Amino acid sequence: MQQSAPNVDAAEVAKFTGLAQEWWDPLGPFATLHAINPLRLNWIDAHARLRGKRVLDVGCGAGILSEAMALRGAEVTAIDAGSEHLEAAREHARETGVDVTYLQTTAEAFSEQHAGGFDVVTCLEMLEHVPDPDSVVAALARLLVPGGQLLLSTINRTPRAFAEAIVGAEYLLRLLPQGTHEYARFLKPSELGASLRRQGLQVRELKGLTYSPLTRSYRLTTSVAVNYLLYAQAPLPGAGSDS
Ligand code: SAH
């Protein structure tokens, strides 16, 4: 499927499938995703109030966020273009007993059958790996119920992001495997915001996620110069558009 789906870069997905067995190692190549998980989970839960919600996690990897949202009481479906790490996700869910439905598909293909099917859609650390992020954003918008909530994260395209997210994180601090990110695929918040508004969504919050090498910890900040989280909402029927 990686080869044939139009908006999947097989080489990008292979960066993640090749490490399928290491996803759940908190000190392995995805240590950063483990480290930021409580922070982003709390941010998502504060906006989306996950308990009882139908949630779709797009580009779920081996389910680090998907499982955590299910543990907060959400009914989680999680999709990814890669096969091996989805298998690792299923295996982990069997071990922990956490209930998540994992499917190998793309947002675009899934949205054809499930338009309007989710209260909450999450898509974290994925948009910077796809050839056409606008096409993903359009699919994410289609998947939401009216008034539904979309929680995203990606990396800004700034000199500072190049220095910190690529040179710093991949080469100096070795927080991520080398080659994880390509600078040209980073997205400015203004570009992502414009893409969301073209789909009729309203941007409700933009937050920076900053790593401090001194304390080796992450926190939410007002600076969106490198990593950022974005919360957007689908319009309610009858609501005038202010975008
Ligand atoms: N969202 C997870 C994993 C991020 S890693 C987290 O934040 O913890 C990026 C994931 O996106 C990988 O698992 C990769 O296989 C997936 N991916 C990349 N391109 C994709 C696409 N076009 N459709 C679906 N998944 C994709």
Side-chain angles (χ1 to χ4, degrees):
M1 191 205 74
Q2 278 108 292
Q3 267 67 20
S4 57
N7 194 23
V8 175
D9 183 332
E12 287 288 327
V13 174
K15 291 177 187 172
F16 300 98
T17 49
L19 299 164
Q21 292 314 314
E22 294 170 80
W23 268 89
W24 280 96
D25 177 357
L27 303 175
F30 300 104
T32 303
L33 295 178
H34 288 281
I36 63 176
N37 211 42
L39 205 57
R40 62 191 189 167
L41 174 68
N42 285 336
W43 177 79
I44 292 168
D45 204 9
H47 288 301
R49 303 195 178 278
L50 289 165
R51 180 160 301 281
K53 297 281 169 66
R54 287 167 302 167
V55 177
L56 179 70
D57 188 21
V58 176
C60 61
I64 295 171
L65 178 67
S66 329
E67 273 201 25
M69 293 194 293
L71 285 169
R72 291 274 170 106
E75 188 190 304
V76 182
T77 303
I79 65 174
D80 199 286
S83 57
E84 287 89 341
H85 46 299
L86 272 184
E87 207 29 67
R90 290 190 189 103
E91 201 177 299
H92 194 267
R94 273 193 297 273
E95 282 165 18
T96 55
V98 177
D99 194 11
V100 176
T101 303
Y102 288 106
L103 300 166
Q104 186 183 3
T105 183
T106 61
E108 288 92 335
F110 193 72
S111 70
E112 283 170 22
Q113 306 287 323
H114 298 88
F118 293 89
D119 305 306
V120 178
V121 174
T122 55
C123 181
L124 286 93
E125 313 302 326
M126 185 198 106
L127 289 171
E128 69 275 20
H129 298 285
V130 299
D132 180 0
D134 277 343
S135 154
V136 175
V137 166
L140 301 178
R142 273 197 296 281
L143 286 156
L144 286 169
V145 296
Q149 295 167 298
L150 179 61
L151 296 308
L152 304 171
S153 74
T154 189
I155 308 178
N156 201 342
R157 199 173 62 259
T158 58
R160 200 174 132 197
F162 181 76
E164 291 184 22
I166 296 183
V167 180
E170 294 183 15
Y171 292 87
L172 301 178
L173 303 174
R174 303 193 179 229
L175 300 171
L176 301 173
Q178 290 175 11
T180 299
H181 288 121
E182 260 176 65
Y183 181 68
R185 288 222 162 128
F186 290 174
L187 280 171
K188 291 184 182 293
S190 57
E191 295 163 345
L192 185 52
S195 179
L196 290 159
R197 283 189 288 275
R198 281 196 291 277
Q199 302 306 323
L201 272 67
Q202 289 167 6
V203 176
R204 298 271 188 220
E205 190 177 87
L206 189 58
K207 275 263 179 233
L209 181 68
T210 302
Y211 179 68
S212 159
L214 278 183
T215 56
R216 296 192 185 175
S217 61
Y218 292 85
R219 62 197 164 85
L220 297 183
T221 60
T222 52
S223 167
V224 296
V226 186
N227 295 84
Y228 63 93
L229 299 158
L230 190 153
Y231 161 44
Q233 193 170 21
L236 283 162
S241 167
D242 65 6
S243 57

